[in-house]
DNA sequence: AAACTATGCAACCGCCTATCC
DNA sequence: GGGATAGGCGGTTGCATAGTT
């Protein structure tokens, strides 16, 4: 036996929501709060599936939803997060206040995703490569290196503000300057993140992006057996984007790792 | 001005996971 | 422990609108 549908299909409205339905749903949630989606339509007097109500609320009616175009900063952040997470839209959306997973998914599919398969002779001037942000250019210029984590929970995201510890630990194999990827200096990817700072509530400058996932009972950082530097000199809490102090370790994806595919030992995480 | 095409986005579908009993 | 259920998620569809011929 399969599971029963969330609602009987007969007699339910489908398709676009009317202003009246929106008002009913808004008013009901204002009074009773979210949740109990299956019962909600009956209680609120809506001829809609509970799932449909939930979706309408989360993607459209919620008061904190940000409307309008995705900014370049947001695009940069989406690209960087997508590079790490793949199509984990809800996780990505969690880093963009006011944006829903649906919005980001749509944006990706209709904008960024298309750029990846774009032929050079497209007519639209808006799709000229000159209009791409540095992060987009870098993404387009480099092979996608999405890490498929199977993460069940994203516990922490940090912007690492520590300067490279040049003086303390001399490099055994010093790298001369940042590597360029297909003509783009990796600094191109650094700048947007600095610009994103207000978006992610950090005053820090720096390029490293840190994230930790819980993978079943383990953390990705545990699986990789990786040592990480201290997040910041001073109070790391000021640099937290989301605070859920669970793990003792935090996985660091530095720009260098991202740009050079230097994710040692992560083969089994990556696409076949 | 009409027909056609491309684009953007809201909404739906089906699967998965967490939770409850 | 296992089945049932609710909620969440990602993929896909379909429609309205904008742009092009």
């Amino acid at each position: 036996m399969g599971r029963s549908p969330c609602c009987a299909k007969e007699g339910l409205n489908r398709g676009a929501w009317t202003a009246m339905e929106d008002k009913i749903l808004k008013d009901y949630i204002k009074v009773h709060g979210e949740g109990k989606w299956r019962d909600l339509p009956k209680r609120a007097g809506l001829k809609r599936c509970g799932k449909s109500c939930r979706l309408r609320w989360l993607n459209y009616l919620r008061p904190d939803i940000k409307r309008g175009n995705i900014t370049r900063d947001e695009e940069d952040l989406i690209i960087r997060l997508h590079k790490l997470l793949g199509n984990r839209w809800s996780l990505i959306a969690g880093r963009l206040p006011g944006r829903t997973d649906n919005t980001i998914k749509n944006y990706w599919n209709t904008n960024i995703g298309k750029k990846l398969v774009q032929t050079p002779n497209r007519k639209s001037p808006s799709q000229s490569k000159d209009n791409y942000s540095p992060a987009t250019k870098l993404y387009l210029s480099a092979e996608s290196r999405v890490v498929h984590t199977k993460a069940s929970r994203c516990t922490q995201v940090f912007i690492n503000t520590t300067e490279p510890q040049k003086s303390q630990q001399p490099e055994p194999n010093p790298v001369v300057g940042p590597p360029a990827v297909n003509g783009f200096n990796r600094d191109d990817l650094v700048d947007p993140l600095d610009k994103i700072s207000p978006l992610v509530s950090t005053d820090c400058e720096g390029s490293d992006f840190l994230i930790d996932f819980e993978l079943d009972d383990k953390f990705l950082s545990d699986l990789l057996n990786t040592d990480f530097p201290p997040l910041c000199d001073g109070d790391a809490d000021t640099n937290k984007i989301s605070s859920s102090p669970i793990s003792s370790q935090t996985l660091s994806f530095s720009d260098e790792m991202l740009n050079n595919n230097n994710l040692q030992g992560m083969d089994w995480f990556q696409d076949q």
Side-chain angles (χ1 to χ4, degrees), chain A residues 16-70:
Chain A
W17 280 63
T18 65
M20 180 60 76
E21 287 177 313
D22 283 347
K23 184 179 184 320
I24 292 172
L25 180 58
K26 252 193 208 173
D27 290 347
Y28 181 88
I29 291 177
K30 201 181 290 180
V31 174
H32 298 93
E34 297 180 38
K36 308 269 185 188
W37 294 109
R38 179 175 285 214
D39 296 336
L40 188 149
K42 209 181 294 177
R43 293 169 190 262
L46 283 167
K47 289 187 171 181
R48 288 279 179 175
C49 165
K51 269 189 165 185
S52 182
C53 293
R54 175 184 163 270
L55 217 59
R56 182 65 177 173
W57 172 254
L58 292 178
N59 288 338
Y60 196 82
L61 296 176
R62 244 172 37 195
D64 58 332
I65 285 180
K66 193 195 286 182
R67 307 233 156 259
N69 294 336
I70 300 279

Side-chain angles (χ1 to χ4, degrees), chain A residues 252-264:
Chain A
S252 170
F253 294 95
S254 70
D255 290 326
E256 191 170 345
M257 292 165 76
L258 292 173
N259 295 342
N260 297 327
N261 202 17
N262 188 25
L263 299 172
Q264 294 179 358

Side-chain angles (χ1 to χ4, degrees), chain A residues 188-247:
Chain A
D188 290 340
L189 192 62
V190 174
D191 291 336
L193 190 62
D194 290 340
K195 284 185 279 179
I196 289 170
S197 291
L199 220 159
V200 296
S201 306
T202 173
D203 295 322
C204 298
E205 295 183 25
S207 60
D208 285 358
F209 191 80
L210 297 96
I211 195 165
D212 198 21
F213 298 102
E214 186 176 335
L215 305 162
D216 298 326
D217 291 333
K218 293 179 180 297
F219 286 90
L220 186 55
S221 49
D222 297 331
L223 293 169
L224 297 177
N225 195 24
T226 313
D227 290 331
F228 301 109
L231 292 171
C232 285
D233 295 333
D235 184 11
D237 283 345
T238 60
N239 304 309
K240 279 186 185 177
I241 298 170
S242 75
S243 61
S244 176
I246 297 173
S247 82

